[in-house]
Amino acid sequence: MKRVALHTLGCKLNFTETSTIGRQFVARGYESVGIDEAADVVVINTCSVTERADRECRQLVRRALRHSPHAYVVVMGCYAQLRPEALAAIPGVDLVLGTAEKLDLFEHVQTFAKRSVPEIKVGQISEARTFVNASSAGSDDRTRAFLKIQDGCDYSCSFCTIPLARGESRSVSASEIIAEARSIVDQGYKEIVLTGVNVGDYGSKIGTNLLTLLQGLTRIDGLKRLRVSSIEPNLLTNELLDFWLSNDVLCKHFHIPLQSGADEILKKMRRRYLRNLYEERVLRIHKELPDACIGSDVISGFPGETNELFEETYQFLLSLPLSYLHPFTYSERPNTKAIELADRVEPRIRFERTERLRNLSLRKRIAFHSRFAGKEVEVLFEAKEKRGCFSGLTGEYVKVTVYSDEDLRNQLRRVRIDEVDTDVCMGQLIDEAAPVVVAA
C-alpha cells in the first residue's frame, strides 16, 4: 500500500482542509502516516501569517526528505500562494499549489513521480470566487469535527497577508452547511467547530448571516455542542450574542481578536473597531455568564507602538475578564501596508513585550481555571493519555483529565474538578466519586 504523509502549518481552517485532502488520498488506496515516517507522497499545507511560519515550512520540507528522500513533495496553501518561486527552489519539492488549487490536488497531478524541475500551479487568488467544502470528519479519531463555513477576507488590516493568500470572502448556503453538519453528526461526532478566515462574515454576499446559520445548526438532532472558532468584535452583534448566550448547544467559548488595546494602534492596524466596543462585548459576556471562556489575540511591537502605548494595551488586557491570550510578535510581511509604516520597534523589545503578554496569559488562564475548582462540569472526552488517564474539553474550553478503567473517548460525562493548573484540570467522574462525608 502506498503511503502519504500530510502536515499542517497554521490555523484550524488549514487543518480542516488538510483533513479533506487526506480523505482524498485514503479513497485512492493510500495509508496516511506521520511526516517522520517513510512515505511515497508528502503534502505540506502552509501558513504565512508570521515570518516563523515561513521558516517552519522550509524546515518541514527538509525534515520530510530525510525520512522519505524519494517522496513526491507537494507544498500548498497560503505561503505557496504568496511565494511560489521560493518554495519551488527548495531541493526536493515537486509541486507547488496555490490556495485555490490545493483541494483539487488530483486534478493537477497525473502521476506522483519525482520531477527534475518542479511545477508551479498558482492562480490569481483575486479571481477566486468558488467555495470548496472541507471538514476534518472521518480523517482521525477526534471526537470534535472542524467544519469550514467561510473562506477569504474582505478586510484590509495593515499587518495581514491573508486576503492576499486567500482572496475575497465567500461562503455557501446555510442548507449546504447544515447538510454537511448532519452527515458529521451521523458519523458519531458530538461537537462541531465552525472554522473560516473571518467566520463572522459568513453569508454576507449570499443574503444570509452567521446568526441564521447557527439557528439552523443548533436544531440538528444529536449535535451536542457547536463551537465557533473565532469572531471579530464588530461582527459579534447584540442579536447574535443574545442567541449565543441563551442557546445550550452553543459552547460558551468566545475567541475575540483584539490585536491592540490602544486606539492609536488599532487605527494604524486598520481594524474595524476601537477598544470601547471590544470592552463592551467582553464585559457583557462576563456579566451574563461569569464562567464563559473569553480568549483574545494580541500583537506586540507593531510600528509606532511606544512603551506608553504598549503599557496601555497591557493594562487594558489586565483589566478585562479574559481567560487566555494568544500573543503574537509583529513581523514584517511583504506587500502589506504596515511594512511602509515608520517607527519600527526593535525586535528585542517586541519579544520582551510578547513575553510579558505570555506571562499575563498564564496568570489569567489559571485564574479562569480556578473558577471551576470543586464544581461539576460536562466533559467531552477525546483522548487516552497514559495509564488509564483520559482527557477532554468542557464547553468553556477547559481541558480536564480523569483516571478511569472505562474507555471514555467520545463520551460526554459529568466530572467534579478537584485540582486546577495552567494547562489542565484534574477531576473524577461523578459516578465514581467518593461519597461526601458531612461532619456531625
Side-chain angles (χ1 to χ4, degrees):
M1 179 181 288
K2 291 187 176 181
R3 310 172 98 201
V4 58
L6 301 108
H7 193 89
T8 304
L9 290 170
C11 63
K12 295 301 184 185
L13 176 56
N14 260 9
F15 168 77
T16 302
E17 292 173 337
T18 303
S19 299
T20 299
I21 294 165
R23 291 198 301 276
Q24 294 173 0
F25 273 97
V26 171
R28 288 165 171 81
Y30 281 77
E31 177 189 0
S32 181
V33 298
I35 198 166
D36 291 325
E37 299 178 67
D40 300 285
V41 182
V42 173
V43 178
I44 300 173
N45 192 5
T46 64
C47 168
S48 194
V49 172
T50 66
E51 184 180 9
R52 183 168 63 90
D54 293 353
R55 291 198 305 270
E56 285 177 342
C57 175
R58 292 175 173 274
Q59 292 166 359
L60 275 169
V61 171
R62 298 185 179 107
R63 173 179 158 190
L65 289 172
R66 284 198 299 270
H67 297 279
S68 307
H70 304 296
Y72 185 95
V73 178
V74 184
V75 183
M76 57 174 59
C78 293
Y79 186 36
Q81 182 70 40
L82 298 175
R83 300 288 304 280
E85 291 82 7
L87 287 176
I90 300 174
V93 171
D94 297 286
L95 176 63
V96 179
L97 288 180
T99 51
E101 291 78 20
K102 65 181 179 180
L103 288 170
D104 297 322
L105 169 62
F106 288 91
E107 293 183 12
H108 297 287
V109 183
Q110 299 302 316
T111 176
F112 291 105
K114 291 295 290 181
R115 297 178 54 86
S116 56
V117 178
E119 285 187 286
I120 297 177
K121 296 188 177 182
V122 176
Q124 292 292 327
I125 196 63
S126 59
E127 299 174 3
R129 299 292 183 272
T130 303
F131 179 89
V132 182
N133 293 315
S135 82
S136 67
S139 58
D140 52 28
D141 60 357
R142 289 174 180 261
T143 56
R144 293 181 296 143
F146 294 86
L147 176 61
K148 174 182 172 183
I149 67 166
Q150 184 273 341
D151 202 349
C153 187
D154 292 341
Y155 285 14
S156 55
C157 299
S158 62
F159 55 83
C160 187
T161 60
I162 290 177
L164 302 175
R166 288 267 181 181
E168 293 183 3
S169 180
R170 52 200 186 274
S171 43
V172 291
S173 68
S175 61
E176 289 182 64
I177 298 295
I178 291 168
E180 179 70 15
R182 282 200 183 100
S183 174
I184 290 170
V185 172
D186 288 343
Q187 294 175 55
Y189 289 85
K190 292 183 171 62
E191 178 178 318
I192 293 177
V193 184
L194 304 181
T195 68
V197 174
N198 187 355
V199 171
D201 195 45
Y202 167 79
S204 62
K205 294 180 179 177
I206 56 174
T208 186
N209 55 42
L210 182 60
L211 174 58
T212 300
L213 177 63
L214 295 181
Q215 289 170 335
L217 288 170
T218 54
R219 289 195 290 266
I220 294 175
D221 289 338
L223 178 60
K224 302 299 183 183
R225 286 183 183 173
L226 185 63
R227 195 181 300 269
V228 178
S229 57
S230 179
I231 188 165
E232 293 287 310
N234 55 298
L235 296 175
L236 186 57
T237 64
N238 285 325
E239 186 181 17
L240 175 59
L241 197 49
D242 287 342
F243 180 74
W244 197 331
L245 290 169
S246 63
N247 188 276
D248 291 336
V249 176
L250 277 161
C251 291
K252 302 310 179 278
H253 171 206
F254 302 81
H255 189 88
I256 314 171
L258 171 64
Q259 311 306 3
S260 176
D263 284 346
E264 181 178 336
I265 298 299
L266 287 173
K267 291 174 183 178
K268 287 185 176 183
M269 289 178 167
R270 300 174 69 170
R271 301 292 284 167
R272 298 195 178 193
Y273 55 87
L274 297 176
R275 56 181 277 166
N276 283 347
L277 174 67
Y278 192 92
E279 182 176 35
E280 186 275 326
R281 295 290 184 266
V282 169
L283 293 181
R284 182 188 167 189
I285 294 167
H286 184 69
K287 179 181 179 181
E288 297 192 29
L289 285 176
D291 287 343
C293 180
I294 311 172
S296 182
D297 297 331
V298 59
I299 296 172
S300 61
F302 189 80
E305 185 186 64
T306 62
N307 288 334
E308 291 75 18
L309 289 174
F310 172 74
E311 196 61 34
E312 187 176 337
T313 292
Y314 186 89
Q315 293 301 324
F316 182 61
L317 292 167
L318 182 64
S319 70
L320 291 176
L322 296 170
S323 312
Y324 65 86
L325 308 174
H326 283 168
F328 296 89
T329 304
Y330 172 75
S331 60
E332 288 79 6
R333 310 307 295 135
N335 302 314
T336 59
K337 295 293 183 182
I339 203 169
E340 303 170 4
L341 296 176
D343 301 321
R344 292 189 183 183
V345 179
E346 182 184 341
R348 175 184 59 82
I349 295 174
R350 300 182 203 179
F351 293 123
E352 288 175 354
R353 291 174 182 174
T354 302
E355 191 60 27
R356 280 192 68 192
L357 293 173
R358 286 199 184 102
N359 289 334
L360 177 60
S361 179
L362 290 174
R363 289 161 50 194
K364 284 187 170 292
R365 190 180 289 273
I366 198 164
F368 175 64
H369 283 179
S370 296
R371 297 185 63 88
F372 295 91
K375 291 185 177 180
E376 292 184 13
V377 295
E378 188 175 64
V379 178
L380 176 56
F381 287 97
E382 292 190 54
K384 183 175 183 179
E385 303 286 351
K386 55 183 179 180
R387 296 191 300 275
C389 183
F390 293 86
S391 65
L393 292 173
T394 70
E396 299 84 7
Y397 207 58
V398 176
K399 183 177 180 180
V400 177
T401 63
V402 303
Y403 288 98
S404 176
D405 295 330
E406 181 183 355
D407 189 346
L408 299 177
R409 284 171 291 189
N410 205 27
Q411 291 192 44
L412 273 166
R413 300 289 290 271
R414 300 291 298 176
V415 175
R416 188 184 68 209
I417 303 297
D418 295 327
E419 300 177 27
V420 299
D421 205 340
T422 307
D423 298 319
V424 64
C425 295
M426 289 291 298
Q428 54 183 314
L429 298 175
I430 297 300
D431 51 3
E432 292 181 358
V436 177
V437 178
V438 180

